[in-house]
Amino acid sequence: KLHHPDFFTNHNEADKEFALQQSADINKAFKIFSNKYKTIEYFLTLENVITPNEKYNLPPNFLMEMMEINEAIDDKSNLNYNNIKQYEIALELELDTIIKTNNNNNFTEAALLQLKEYYYKKKYLKRILDRIND
């Protein structure tokens, strides 16, 4: 509220522009921090663990399981939503474990790499869920 542009209508242009920028930054931060996945992406970017357009190699066993889900989506007859839900739950448990073991916010290199793997698995699974919902 402090930086809302409406409160700066009678100020000079520099103050209006500053308030507008502050408001935009606050709105962007709110969008990031109200979404756990985007928060993790932001954190990993800040820590230079992930980069835009990075090609990350997921574990082969995960990719095989996702390939089976994709084939089931294509068939539409063998699609089991419970399997997908189980992967989502397993990923969230992975995340909880990573965060709990690093609850003092001093993430080790190994923990950052685990978080990176979680991020890319979740990204992959999200694409599958988006595909189902289309």
Side-chain angles (χ1 to χ4, degrees), residues 1-130:
K1 216 173 171 183
L2 178 66
H3 296 288
H4 195 282
D6 290 349
F7 296 120
F8 290 83
T9 55
N10 295 328
H11 288 77
N12 63 40
E13 285 302 313
D15 288 346
K16 287 179 188 178
E17 186 61 37
F18 178 76
L20 193 60
Q21 185 60 48
Q22 289 293 311
S23 183
D25 290 346
I26 290 166
N27 287 335
K28 183 179 177 185
F30 180 78
K31 284 181 183 178
I32 290 171
F33 295 123
S34 62
N35 179 310
K36 182 172 37 175
Y37 181 75
K38 287 183 180 185
T39 302
I40 291 169
E41 179 181 32
Y42 179 76
F43 173 72
L44 290 172
T45 302
L46 277 179
E47 295 291 320
N48 294 318
V49 176
I50 62 171
T51 58
N53 302 321
E54 178 178 0
K55 302 290 183 208
Y56 182 75
N57 293 323
L58 287 162
N61 60 338
F62 175 81
L63 292 173
M64 289 297 289
E65 292 166 353
M66 294 302 109
M67 188 175 74
E68 289 173 13
I69 290 173
N70 276 316
E71 287 173 358
I73 292 170
D74 291 339
D75 286 347
K76 293 191 176 105
S77 58
N78 292 333
L79 184 58
N80 185 345
Y81 291 101
N82 289 333
N83 287 349
I84 299 169
K85 221 33 176 166
Q86 287 174 346
Y87 282 110
E88 276 190 300
I89 292 168
L91 280 175
E92 292 308 310
L93 289 174
E94 255 183 63
L95 177 63
D96 290 345
T97 302
I98 296 166
I99 291 173
K100 284 178 184 173
T101 55
N102 294 281
N103 62 1
N104 60 359
N105 295 329
N106 290 328
F107 282 81
T108 63
E109 184 73 25
L112 287 172
L113 292 176
Q114 288 176 320
L115 199 55
K116 180 178 184 174
E117 185 170 301
Y118 161 83
Y119 168 79
Y120 281 106
K121 283 181 178 179
K122 184 74 174 184
K123 185 176 183 177
Y124 197 106
L125 191 57
K126 185 180 179 323
R127 280 194 302 252
I128 289 174
L129 291 171
D130 289 346

